[in-house]
Amino acid sequence: MFKNILVPVDGSANAHKAVELAGDLARHYGAQIALVHVLRRAGDVVAPEGLEGYMASEHVRLTEQDFLRLAATEIVDREAAALEAMGLAVERLVEIGDPATEIVGAAKRHGADLIVIGSRGRGGVVGLLLGSVSGKVAQLAPCTCITVR
Ligand SMILES: Nc1ncnc2c1ncn2[C@@H]1O[C@H](COP(=O)(O)OP(=O)(O)OP(=O)(O)O)[C@@H](O)[C@H]1O
Ligand SMILES: [Mg+2]
């Protein structure tokens, strides 16, 4: 039924649940998984724990763009590791721009036939069922889209 599953991840608990469901479906259908994280802009990413201290102690110099990519890669890698341990093939994507636009673009480029996305993410407004990213992706998705709660 599903062959190419795209899972947008932002480091939130809901996105992690989406990854777990996607992993289950991928095993069931023999599908591939692509994980995507979209960098909104400079300053939007939380550095992986301990990285700043390491950079200072080792005198590591990174450009801001390198640093943001590293943080994004960390978000994607954390989720990819568990899926790969289950024997699943995982592609890692990091894009820059408006998250929903980039997620929908990645789905089209990769021929995704399913998007599994968290209903909410790391953002703040309590009480809403969908966030701005999951709401827009559900509206614009070129394929079936499951929002995970
Ligand atoms: N930058 C991102 N890159 C990839 N996926 C994302 C990104 N932001 C959100 N997502 C995905 O969308 C889901 C819902 O997050 P969303 O950002 O819509 O809700 P929120 O953070 O609670 O609200 P808002 O960001 O509108 O304040 C997340 O669980 C994740 O799957
Ligand atoms: Mg958000």
Side-chain angles (χ1 to χ4, degrees), residues 1-66:
M1 172 101 209
F2 300 115
K3 287 288 164 219
N4 279 307
I5 304 175
L6 181 72
V7 191
V9 290
D10 65 348
S12 68
N14 258 326
H16 180 69
K17 279 179 79 175
V19 171
E20 287 181 328
L21 175 61
D24 206 44
L25 293 173
R27 270 212 298 211
H28 185 81
Y29 291 111
Q32 298 190 325
I33 294 184
L35 299 177
V36 61
H37 180 72
V38 184
L39 293 168
R40 214 181 285 258
R41 60 177 181 278
D44 205 37
V45 170
V46 179
E49 229 168 88
L51 185 63
E52 276 173 336
Y54 171 80
M55 286 172 66
S57 66
E58 298 294 322
H59 305 291
V60 177
R61 292 256 187 281
L62 292 174
T63 66
E64 186 181 32
Q65 202 56 244
D66 287 341

Side-chain angles (χ1 to χ4, degrees), residues 70-126:
L70 205 58
T73 304
E74 172 74 17
I75 288 175
V76 170
D77 275 345
R78 214 179 290 157
E79 297 294 354
L83 294 172
E84 285 170 343
M86 290 163 58
L88 294 167
V90 182
E91 193 171 350
R92 297 153 156 83
L93 308 172
V94 174
E95 308 290 349
I96 298 173
D98 170 63
T101 305
E102 293 302 320
I103 290 164
V104 170
K108 289 179 180 159
R109 273 199 309 282
H110 283 76
D113 48 16
L114 176 66
I115 298 172
V116 185
I117 190 168
S119 55
R120 294 297 310 270
R122 294 160 72 187
V125 185
V126 179

